[in-house]
Amino acid sequence: MPLTKQNFSEVLLPPPEVDNATRDSIREKDDSFLAGEDAFGSVEPVKKPTGRLVMHSMAMFGREFCYAVEAAFVTPVLLSVGLPKHLYSLVWLISPILGFVLQPVVGSASDHCTSGWGKRRPYILALGVMMLLGMALYLNGDMVISAVTTKRGQQQQTWAIVITMLGVVLFDFAADFIDGPIKAYLFDVCSHQDKEKGLHYHALLTGLGGALGYLTGAIDWAHTILGRFLGSEFQVIFFIAALVFLICLTVHLCSIPEAPLRDANAETKLLLKLDEPYEYGSIVKVKNSYLESGYAEIRTLPDLGKSTETPHTEVQRRMTIKSLLKALLSMPSHYRCLCVSHLIGWTAFLSNMLFFTDFMGQIVYHGDPYAPHNSTAYLTYERGVEIGCWGMCINAVSSSLYSYLQKALLPYIRLKGLYFIGYLLFGLGTGFIGLFPRVHSTLALCSLFGVMSSTLYTVPFNLIAEYHREEESQKQQHKGKAEDPGRGKGIDCAALTCMVQLAQIIVGVGLGFLVSAAGSVVVVVISASAVSLIGCCFVALFVRYVE
């Protein structure tokens, strides 16, 4: 039957069994809704207690704790199972390649997730389980193969290498991936002020988690009671890391309630039962911690008259790869500039961090990793690597302290100043380390690595939050007309975090050639300094800041 104005109005009339009191109640709610009052919740989410924000940040503590454990043990584990040197680059490249391709897809999917548990938490839980599985495989791969098969020799070693590599790739993939949904979860349920506080707590607990993870890796667990009970140092480390991460993940998931998207859709559809259809083009103006503006399935009535697609069909259509790529490519220019600056920052940071312990062993301590294992040169190299781990611990502690200091500096130098200072100090610090490789000066300058780390974890996401707030304000001024319904907070956070994977790909492919060409790892530190100083110019000239 063709849809006319008359029969459409008849459909919208309330059924006879609805009494006048119920109808008046619905009208009152609608009037308050159109007046901008609290129909489904406040326009700005209510202020969250500090304790809830700290609980939300515990996921970052657990994630970074496990990251530090991986950094301390993954190379010894890979060497112990006999991984050939030519496969090292493969191990480090598979995960970032997968993450770079799939991260925006998962971000878009979480924007439209209709789980009864909320939009983000199902993805966070799934990625957390993947992290635990990957950690179990790479720390216990040799033991698993020994328990499954009784055959000894080359076949067992091959399977141990495969299982360990699979564990490393799975862990890195999930640990890199989980950051996007965690940030989007924070943005969904918090006011703008709480977003800033939450990001600072994220950086604070990230640094503390990394510091404790490095300290845990520095302890000789093999000769402790736990080591004798569980069998080996690797099993003890897995037990501690898994326990810490499970506790942190549970606290995080219980921190702040998240309403299901389908409940929000059901509430808004109730408004379509009224007999004043011309007023409902402004539905997308409503925003609270659970109802995002810009849902494309809630459209004006003339649009509904032109299409017979259900809201579910619309969501599925938008989530195709083609439409996803279109949304990313049509991203406003200031988002793209922010992604480029994030890519530059992480490329500089990872260039230094991935080779820092090797730099300490070879350049600062003048050791030789290729010398016989009982030689003085090799023992000197190992000593340098141990001191390099303490440098990483200094970096983690510095990151925590600076994240707290950022809150005090923000009113004076704003986000632009924080962003610029982070890149500048890191560039100068790595430059001095490369030019003057001395033990004590290098360890002191490791504190500047923490400034960069804290900057990368907070400032870009603060800018994303500023951009979202500005867009929401513009939508209110234009009577709720969403400019880009294909993009949501999840996909914006995913686009930003997938720059980390792209930086890993660039570092993994490019630095090996640089080291081979130069014949020394000094080139790595100098390159990190140069890239960071280029980033200073970029964040000052091209990144847009909302004043």
Side-chain angles (χ1 to χ4, degrees):
M1 180 180 70
L3 190 63
T4 65
K5 182 177 180 181
Q6 180 179 359
N7 57 37
F8 190 79
S9 298
E10 291 172 359
V11 172
L12 291 175
L13 288 173
E17 59 268 24
V18 178
D19 57 25
N20 291 333
T22 303
R23 180 170 175 171
D24 291 339
S25 175
I26 295 175
R27 284 183 179 277
E28 289 174 3
K29 290 181 180 180
D30 183 57
D31 290 339
S32 66
F33 166 81
L34 294 172
E37 296 175 7
D38 196 9
F40 303 120
S42 59
V43 171
E44 185 78 359
V46 296
K47 182 178 175 62
K48 301 295 186 295
T50 298
R52 291 286 180 177
L53 296 176
V54 173
M55 289 172 65
H56 189 279
S57 304
M58 289 301 293
M60 301 302 293
F61 179 94
R63 169 181 176 263
E64 202 65 22
F65 186 95
C66 295
Y67 254 145
V69 166
E70 185 202 31
F73 283 95
V74 72
T75 300
V77 167
L78 291 173
L79 290 173
S80 68
V81 298
L83 180 70
K85 290 183 178 180
H86 65 273
L87 292 179
Y88 281 174
S89 60
L90 180 63
V91 172
W92 300 118
L93 284 177
I94 291 176
S95 172
I97 290 173
L98 288 175
F100 181 71
V101 173
L102 296 178
Q103 185 121 332
V105 177
V106 173
S108 177
S110 70
D111 278 334
H112 306 100
C113 176
T114 57
S115 168
W117 207 27
K119 292 195 297 181
R120 316 297 180 186
R121 288 188 291 180
Y123 289 89
I124 295 172
L125 177 61
L127 291 167
V129 171
M130 289 173 63
M131 281 181 63
L132 288 173
L133 179 59
M135 192 161 51
L137 290 178
Y138 83 74
L139 284 175
N140 304 286
D142 197 16
M143 186 186 70
V144 169
I145 296 301
S146 299
V148 170
T149 178
T150 57
K151 295 181 180 181
R152 301 289 176 181
Q154 185 63 35
Q155 185 179 8
Q156 184 184 23
Q157 183 186 30
T158 302
W159 276 108
I161 292 173
V162 170
I163 293 296
T164 304
M165 286 180 63
L166 178 63
V168 172
V169 170
L170 186 62
F171 175 84
D172 281 340
F173 173 80
D176 291 340
F177 237 99
I178 202 170
D179 188 51
I182 289 174
K183 294 293 192 299
Y185 177 19
L186 178 72
F187 288 0
D188 284 344
V189 298
C190 289
S191 65
H192 184 74
Q193 290 76 15
D194 284 341
K195 290 174 190 176
E196 292 182 348
K197 287 178 60 179
L199 288 172
H200 288 304
Y201 287 129
H202 278 200
L204 175 66
L205 291 178
T206 293
L208 289 176
L212 290 179
Y214 284 118
L215 289 177
T216 302
I219 297 174
D220 183 8
W221 294 100
H223 299 92
T224 63
I225 297 176
L226 275 177
R228 289 190 291 269
F229 179 73
L230 295 176
S232 75
E233 186 175 27
F234 292 157
Q235 274 75 59
V236 175
I237 290 295
F238 170 71
F239 172 77
I240 294 174
L243 182 63
V244 169
F245 183 72
L246 276 174
I247 293 173
C248 291
L249 184 65
T250 302
V251 171
H252 168 78
L253 294 175
C254 298
S255 59
I256 304 175
E258 187 184 16
L261 176 59
R262 62 187 178 195
D263 290 351
N265 290 341
E267 287 176 336
T268 53
K269 287 175 185 177
L270 287 175
L271 295 173
L272 295 176
K273 293 183 179 180
L274 298 177
D275 57 357
E276 297 174 2
Y278 60 91
E279 295 193 43
Y280 295 108
S282 58
I283 288 178
V284 290
K285 287 195 298 185
V286 177
K287 298 182 296 297
N288 59 13
S289 55
Y290 311 121
L291 243 183
E292 285 189 32
S293 62
Y295 285 143
E297 65 266 29
I298 304 173
R299 301 179 298 172
T300 57
L301 294 178
D303 288 338
L304 286 172
K306 296 175 184 177
S307 173
T308 57
E309 288 183 300
T310 63
H312 179 74
T313 305
E314 285 290 305
V315 170
Q316 294 299 319
R317 181 184 64 78
R318 285 200 314 277
M319 287 171 57
T320 62
I321 297 296
K322 181 179 178 181
S323 58
L324 179 59
L325 290 175
K326 182 179 178 181
L328 288 172
L329 293 175
S330 62
M331 183 177 285
S333 60
H334 52 279
Y335 280 94
R336 287 197 295 271
C337 288
L338 182 59
C339 287
V340 172
S341 70
H342 204 53
L343 173 62
I344 293 172
W346 273 104
T347 301
F349 187 71
L350 292 174
S351 298
N352 182 69
M353 302 304 287
L354 293 180
F355 289 85
F356 181 74
T357 53
D358 189 47
F359 172 82
M360 288 290 291
Q362 290 195 60
I363 306 303
V364 178
Y365 273 77
H366 307 288
D368 184 2
Y370 303 107
H373 285 197
N374 58 352
S375 66
T376 302
Y378 184 80
L379 294 176
T380 302
Y381 173 79
E382 279 197 328
R383 176 61 178 167
V385 170
E386 291 176 3
I387 298 300
C389 289
W390 283 105
M392 295 296 94
C393 185
I394 292 172
N395 152 64
V397 173
S398 170
S399 176
S400 295
L401 295 176
Y402 183 71
S403 66
Y404 188 78
L405 182 62
Q406 277 183 327
K407 291 192 293 185
L409 292 176
L410 184 60
Y412 300 100
I413 60 177
R414 311 302 298 169
L415 289 175
K416 184 175 184 178
L418 290 176
Y419 214 4
F420 182 83
I421 286 174
Y423 280 58
L424 178 64
L425 292 180
F426 182 79
L428 294 177
T430 50
F432 279 119
I433 287 173
L435 294 174
F436 309 103
R438 302 290 185 270
V439 177
H440 295 96
S441 62
T442 298
L443 288 176
L445 290 170
C446 282
S447 59
L448 299 182
F449 300 170
V451 173
M452 182 65 159
S453 173
S454 180
T455 299
L456 291 174
Y457 278 117
T458 55
V459 176
F461 293 97
N462 268 317
L463 287 172
I464 284 281
E466 294 277 4
Y467 295 162
H468 286 161
R469 184 172 68 164
E470 183 183 52
E471 289 175 355
E472 288 167 357
S473 176
Q474 290 174 352
K475 288 172 186 176
Q476 284 184 337
Q477 293 174 3
H478 292 84
K479 299 182 179 179
K481 294 181 180 178
E483 296 178 1
D484 191 358
R487 276 180 40 250
K489 295 177 183 177
I491 194 173
D492 286 341
C493 292
L496 194 61
T497 54
C498 76
M499 293 299 105
V500 182
Q501 279 84 46
L502 184 55
Q504 287 178 324
I505 295 170
I506 294 172
V507 170
V509 172
L511 284 187
F513 291 109
L514 274 178
V515 173
S516 299
S520 172
V521 291
V522 173
V523 70
V524 174
V525 179
I526 299 299
S527 299
S529 176
V531 173
S532 183
L533 293 176
I534 291 172
C536 279
C537 301
F538 192 91
V539 300
L541 299 176
F542 297 102
V543 175
R544 187 168 74 84
Y545 302 89
V546 180
E547 299 298 338

